[in-house]
Amino acid sequence: MADTLGKAKADIASMIRVNQAGEYGAAQIYKGQLAVMGDDAPDSSAIHHMAEQEQRHLDAFDRMIVERNVRPTLLQPFWKAAGYALGAGTAIMGPRAAMACTAAVETEIDLHYQEQMEQLESQDDPELLSKIAEFREEELEHKQTAIEAGAEETPGYPVLSAAIRLGCKVAIGLSKRI
């Protein structure tokens, strides 16, 4: 029984760690996009709105990290640079590419959060489950906003999307453990 409790606690700590890292990375992506696009680009107001939501998600996971004494990922400096570079790089490619980045990232985050919600059904952590469900809905809104803004019309979209999604999967896997 104690072994099961220890594993459940470790699983929840891993969820909080990876979610905090992911929200941190997302905030950096939007910072990079806005640094390139500025406030006058066609999608800047939508990006600002999404960035504000990501910051709220990050703030919630930052609180959980402290309150639950969870070790944050050691890769945070790398995610800062990688997220910003991904955001800036896709924005340099154009507004649709920036939105393609959002659509790809949010596709993976949706799958990731859905998996966590399924795992949490057997755990007794209604606070974490509620936050993940709430944030997942907002991530799905971001994906829809990106698609409506022409993400899928980006030249080379399937390749760009696949590359970004693969990067997200690798980041999730690493941040769970490191």
Side-chain angles (χ1 to χ4, degrees):
M1 180 75 170
D3 200 33
T4 305
L5 271 166
K7 180 170 179 359
K9 187 174 180 177
D11 288 347
I12 288 174
S14 177
M15 286 181 196
I16 293 169
R17 176 177 25 267
V18 71
N19 292 353
Q20 189 270 348
E23 298 297 351
Y24 181 77
Q28 296 304 313
I29 288 169
Y30 289 129
K31 283 181 184 178
Q33 288 178 344
L34 289 168
V36 170
M37 296 171 65
D39 290 336
D40 297 327
D43 299 314
S44 291
S45 64
I47 292 172
H48 273 292
H49 175 70
M50 292 185 289
E52 288 168 7
Q53 288 180 315
E54 298 294 357
Q55 186 61 52
R56 191 171 48 76
H57 302 175
L58 176 58
D59 291 345
F61 285 119
D62 281 347
R63 278 191 299 281
M64 284 187 203
I65 287 249
V66 171
E67 291 168 358
R68 297 176 185 221
N69 197 28
V70 173
R71 177 189 51 78
T73 181
L74 298 173
L75 297 171
Q76 198 149 353
F78 180 76
W79 298 149
K80 180 178 183 176
Y84 191 90
L86 178 60
T90 55
I92 287 168
M93 294 167 63
R96 285 188 178 150
M99 287 299 179
C101 175
T102 294
V105 169
E106 300 302 11
T107 296
E108 284 309 312
I109 298 309
D110 172 38
L111 296 171
H112 171 70
Y113 277 168
Q114 184 61 42
E115 180 182 301
Q116 286 186 342
M117 290 168 59
E118 290 168 9
Q119 288 175 330
L120 285 168
E121 287 175 3
S122 64
Q123 307 283 339
D124 185 27
D125 198 327
E127 177 196 18
L128 183 56
L129 179 58
S130 172
K131 284 296 180 195
I132 291 172
E134 174 189 345
F135 297 164
R136 179 178 174 256
E137 288 304 313
E138 290 179 354
E139 306 295 4
L140 289 171
E141 288 173 21
H142 299 174
K143 179 181 175 182
Q144 188 60 39
T145 297
I147 290 170
E148 289 171 3
E152 294 171 327
E153 298 165 25
T154 303
Y157 176 77
V159 174
L160 179 63
S161 178
I164 293 169
R165 289 183 64 187
L166 177 60
C168 288
K169 288 177 190 176
V170 169
I172 289 167
L174 290 172
S175 292
K176 283 180 183 179
R177 293 168 186 81
I178 300 173

